Amino acid sequence: MATENAAPKTLLEATRYFADPDVCLAAAVALRWKGGPVACPTCGSTEVHFIATRRIWRCKEQHPQRQFSVKVGTIMEDSPIPLDKWMVAIWLLANSKNGISSYEIGRGLGVTQKTGWFLMHRIRLAMQAGHFDKMFGDVEADETYIGGKARNMHKGKRARLNVQRGRSIAGKVAVFGVLDRHGKKGHSEVRAEVLSSLKKADVQGHVREHVEPGATLNTDAFFSYTGLSADYMHNVIDHAECYVDGQIHTNGMENFWSLLKRAIRGTYVSVEPFHLYRYLDEQCFRFNNRKMTDAERFAHAAAAIVGKRLMYKTLTGHELLQSSQN
């Protein structure tokens, strides 16, 4: 197994490092089982035998799925894509500040755009973080809309959505975010999610879900935040007057929205509302781990691939379509 000193620190080193099948497998094993012994993903037994000719293991316990590879039980399960391409793809997505398109992944790895698109969404699933604790201290809350501008729409689409040229929220998706100015990692951390609407009940419900009562909450003058003073030290900055008043501002969230929209407009160009939350997970992952080195960020993403799986029919909505027809 490769030593820690030999671990890659740049994309060039990573490409060369994972090109060796034995080194790549050893690195994947270390990430998959976190440096511990190889365990059967079906029964958990560590009594396993390695079949070197096939690069798989066989569990000594008697059950139907005795043979398994390092991919089983991860986002890579049942994928014909070689392990070295998976490792490089995780490195690229974890460390590209503005994201990376499926076309570029396809060209770089020698796979089709469709394969690259599916592969990247599975990596985004690994980047998805569950939050069980609430934010406290200085917190910012803000909202935005993601979608095309009316002036760029085709005349027929504007007519269908009944919008006029200029500012309009028709055809856009509401996104809400909260930012802890002093996160556990020593810097600000953000959480973002898609909302069905920006009505008061929806917005305040998500504020209470993520922010501990008693925290200092900084928002703009959007009407949906009215009434939060009962549970929080609610500071309001009216952007019609100014954007900063001492420590009262939402510039941290505005910065995150800028990074998100730069990635969507500049790299992904067009994102379906059905998949938007996956792109939010990707951007939150890079933002919250921005102080890490590229190697550390890659290892953090690769270590999160276990216990998660995304089927193509689920990703494309075919599974939902079938269930609605039954």
Side-chain angles (χ1 to χ4, degrees):
M1 185 168 294
T3 63
E4 185 176 343
N5 292 332
K9 297 180 180 179
T10 66
L11 174 60
L12 179 61
E13 291 178 2
T15 305
R16 292 171 176 169
Y17 184 81
F18 295 123
D20 186 321
D22 294 325
V23 172
C24 185
L25 179 61
V29 168
L31 291 167
R32 168 71 170 80
W33 285 283
K34 296 177 171 55
V38 176
C40 175
T42 300
C43 68
S45 172
T46 56
E47 295 293 321
V48 297
H49 169 68
F50 183 61
I51 305 175
T53 55
R54 299 175 59 197
R55 300 183 188 279
I56 64 172
W57 289 263
R58 182 172 59 228
C59 180
K60 291 186 178 180
E61 300 296 328
Q62 297 296 324
H63 54 76
Q65 297 176 318
R66 294 178 63 197
Q67 294 187 354
F68 61 93
S69 71
V70 71
K71 294 180 179 180
V72 174
T74 72
I75 60 170
M76 302 182 289
E77 186 167 347
D78 287 341
S79 171
I81 306 299
L83 204 56
D84 60 334
K85 293 187 178 183
W86 269 104
M87 295 294 106
V88 173
I90 295 173
W91 186 288
L92 286 170
L93 193 60
N95 296 313
S96 299
K97 185 175 182 179
N98 292 328
I100 183 168
S101 73
S102 55
Y103 280 96
E104 189 170 351
I105 283 284
R107 290 193 301 269
L109 299 183
V111 298
T112 64
Q113 180 272 334
K114 183 178 178 180
T115 296
W117 181 78
F118 183 28
L119 180 146
M120 290 171 67
H121 274 307
R122 286 194 274 185
I123 298 173
R124 290 185 183 104
L125 177 62
M127 293 178 171
Q128 193 177 83
H131 303 288
F132 302 101
D133 55 335
K134 294 186 178 182
M135 295 179 175
F136 194 75
D138 290 325
V139 179
E140 298 177 20
D142 196 29
E143 75 296 326
T144 190
Y145 285 96
I146 303 294
K149 296 181 179 179
R151 68 171 178 266
N152 295 332
M153 292 182 184
H154 187 273
K155 181 180 178 181
K157 186 172 184 179
R158 285 204 305 273
R160 187 169 68 253
L161 295 175
N162 193 26
V163 299
Q164 303 297 322
R165 285 183 180 272
R167 297 178 62 88
S168 173
I169 61 173
K172 297 186 179 183
V173 180
V175 178
F176 172 77
V178 288
L179 178 139
D180 188 345
R181 291 181 181 173
H182 309 288
K184 294 181 179 179
K185 297 178 181 179
H187 55 76
S188 59
E189 296 181 40
V190 71
R191 302 175 188 176
E193 54 193 324
V194 177
L195 295 188
S196 57
S197 76
L198 289 179
K199 294 181 179 179
K200 181 182 288 188
D202 293 327
V203 171
Q204 295 195 8
H206 282 80
V207 169
R208 292 187 171 89
E209 179 183 346
H210 294 289
V211 185
E212 193 75 31
T216 299
L217 183 66
N218 300 278
T219 71
D220 57 21
F222 187 50
F223 71 91
S224 290
Y225 299 117
T226 305
L228 288 171
S229 299
D231 298 319
Y232 305 97
M233 187 178 293
H234 188 196
N235 298 323
V236 178
I237 186 75
D238 189 346
H239 290 164
E241 299 176 0
C242 62
Y243 282 86
V244 179
D245 183 7
Q247 294 299 312
I248 304 175
H249 60 81
T250 58
N251 286 353
M253 278 306 310
E254 296 289 354
N255 173 51
F256 177 77
W257 297 141
S258 175
L259 293 171
L260 173 66
K261 292 180 179 181
R262 192 176 303 155
I264 291 177
R265 293 171 182 170
T267 302
Y268 300 121
V269 183
S270 178
V271 174
E272 285 293 327
F274 180 70
H275 297 300
L276 179 58
Y277 74 96
R278 303 185 192 277
Y279 294 88
L280 294 179
D281 292 335
E282 174 195 340
Q283 195 66 39
C284 285
F285 173 86
R286 283 196 297 265
F287 184 88
N288 293 338
N289 298 295
R290 62 190 181 278
K291 297 296 183 180
M292 292 182 178
T293 65
D294 285 3
E296 291 170 339
R297 202 176 300 108
F298 159 77
H300 187 51
I305 65 175
V306 183
K308 300 175 181 178
R309 191 176 183 190
L310 179 63
M311 304 291 286
Y312 189 78
K313 60 183 179 182
T314 304
L315 179 61
T316 57
H318 183 66
E319 190 174 67
L320 297 175
L321 180 62
Q322 284 185 325
S323 62
S324 66
Q325 291 176 341
N326 291 336

